[in-house]
């Protein structure tokens, strides 16, 4: 590990902030966290330095294309393996979960249980705005998102979310609370939502419909 630079000046802090922001974009768009074991980080930074400073590339265009193609092929293979494993675990989980008392299953394959009945009589339409409290986790219990941890419910339209959420919300009534189990095709599908959700993952949400706006 290189020696850490003390961040004192505005220039140093801005430079560091731009680096962090770039890493965040890369993690969002490329899931750098899951592929960093396939990268030589020191050489990766050298590529960034040469690109920023306009230095001549150290390998030919043909070598660049060949290396990137080999990298893509390897990562696609790894993603396919992860997706297959997640699908197998997810299918088994949903099959067993469907047998439990209180679990209801829709035609789409969404599973849900009613934790609390709402006192409202109205369900939101797809184009409505709703106020919702929720908690999302993987089938191993790992929490990846929660409005409760942020201290306030979230406002959005059922048309703006994943298929399983749209289906669940338009079935719920105001004040009700459901636990929803979503097959990957009703969630984030084959790609997942890096870095928290892998390809083909089954997701579990606790959803409380606070209000239809």
């Amino acid at each position: 590990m290189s020696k850490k630079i003390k961040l004192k000046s505005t220039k140093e802090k801005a430079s560091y902030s731009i680096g962090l922001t770039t890493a965040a974009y890369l993690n969002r768009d490329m899931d750098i966290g899951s592929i960093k074991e396939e990268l030589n980080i020191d050489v990766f930074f050298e590529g960034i330095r040469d690109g920023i400073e306009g230095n001549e590339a150290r390998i030919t265009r043909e070598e660049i294309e060949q290396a990137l193609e080999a990298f893509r092929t390897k990562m696609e293979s790894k993603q396919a393996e992860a997706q297959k494993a997640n699908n197998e675990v997810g299918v088994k989980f949903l099959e067993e979960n469907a047998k439990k008392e209180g679990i209801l299953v829709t035609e789409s394959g969404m599973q849900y249980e009613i934790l609390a009945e709402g006192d409202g009589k109205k369900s939101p339409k797809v184009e409505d705005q709703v106020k919702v409290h929720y908690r999302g986790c993987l089938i191993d219990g790992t929490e990846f998102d929660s409005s409760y941890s942020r201290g306030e419910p979230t406002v959005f339209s059922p048309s703006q979310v994943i298929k399983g959420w749209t289906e669940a919300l338009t079935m719920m009534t105001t004040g009700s609370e459901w636990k929803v189990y979503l097959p990957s095709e009703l969630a984030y599908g084959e790609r997942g939502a890096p870095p928290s959700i892998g390809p083909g993952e089954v997701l579990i949400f606790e959803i409380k419909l606070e209000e239809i706006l």
Side-chain angles (χ1 to χ4, degrees):
M1 180 181 289
S2 60
K3 185 178 179 181
K4 290 188 176 180
I5 299 171
K6 292 183 179 180
L7 307 177
K8 295 181 178 180
S9 69
T10 300
K11 180 179 179 179
E12 289 166 344
K13 292 177 182 178
S15 299
Y16 182 74
S17 298
I18 291 169
L20 278 183
T21 303
T22 301
Y25 284 135
L26 289 172
N27 221 2
R28 183 193 66 192
D29 296 338
M30 294 180 60
D31 190 14
I32 287 293
S34 69
I35 67 174
K36 64 183 179 182
E37 63 185 33
E38 302 295 338
L39 298 175
N40 181 315
I41 298 298
D42 291 334
V43 177
F44 172 77
F45 287 140
E46 285 298 303
I48 291 177
R49 179 183 293 277
D50 283 348
I52 289 175
E53 294 182 352
N55 298 331
E56 183 178 349
R58 304 182 196 183
I59 55 178
T60 66
R61 171 55 58 183
E62 183 180 5
E63 288 175 307
I64 290 172
E65 292 174 354
Q66 289 174 348
L68 290 177
E69 181 59 31
F71 181 78
R72 276 193 293 268
T73 299
K74 186 169 186 178
M75 295 313 302
E76 286 170 0
S77 176
K78 288 184 69 172
Q79 176 153 340
E81 290 174 6
Q83 182 187 339
K84 181 180 178 182
N86 288 337
N87 283 339
E88 290 174 353
V89 171
V91 167
K92 184 176 180 180
F93 171 83
L94 291 171
E95 286 176 349
E96 294 300 316
N97 196 59
K99 300 173 185 176
K100 295 179 180 178
E101 185 177 354
I103 298 293
L104 302 168
V105 185
T106 68
E107 289 185 10
S108 71
M110 181 184 80
Q111 298 181 6
Y112 68 99
E113 57 183 312
I114 300 173
L115 304 179
E117 294 280 5
D119 54 10
K121 297 181 180 180
K122 186 180 178 183
S123 296
K125 297 181 177 64
V126 171
E127 65 273 13
D128 286 336
Q129 291 284 309
V130 295
K131 183 182 289 187
V132 173
H133 251 318
Y134 69 93
R135 181 179 292 106
C137 66
L138 308 178
I139 58 178
D140 66 1
T142 302
E143 184 174 287
F144 57 82
D145 194 12
S146 172
S147 64
Y148 293 101
S149 66
R150 293 190 292 273
E152 61 180 1
T154 301
V155 175
F156 54 83
S157 168
S159 65
Q160 298 173 318
V161 288
I162 55 178
K163 292 179 182 178
W165 266 72
T166 303
E167 181 177 2
L169 286 169
T170 52
M171 293 170 63
M172 298 172 72
T173 56
T174 306
S176 61
E177 187 172 0
W178 287 14
K179 192 169 187 177
V180 178
Y181 307 83
L182 300 182
S184 66
E185 60 267 24
L186 298 179
Y188 291 97
E190 296 180 0
R191 187 178 186 280
S196 302
I197 301 169
E201 292 256 33
V202 168
L203 303 183
I204 303 171
F205 291 95
E206 293 177 20
I207 304 173
K208 184 176 182 181
L209 178 56
E210 298 273 359
E211 188 178 354
I212 302 172
L213 303 176

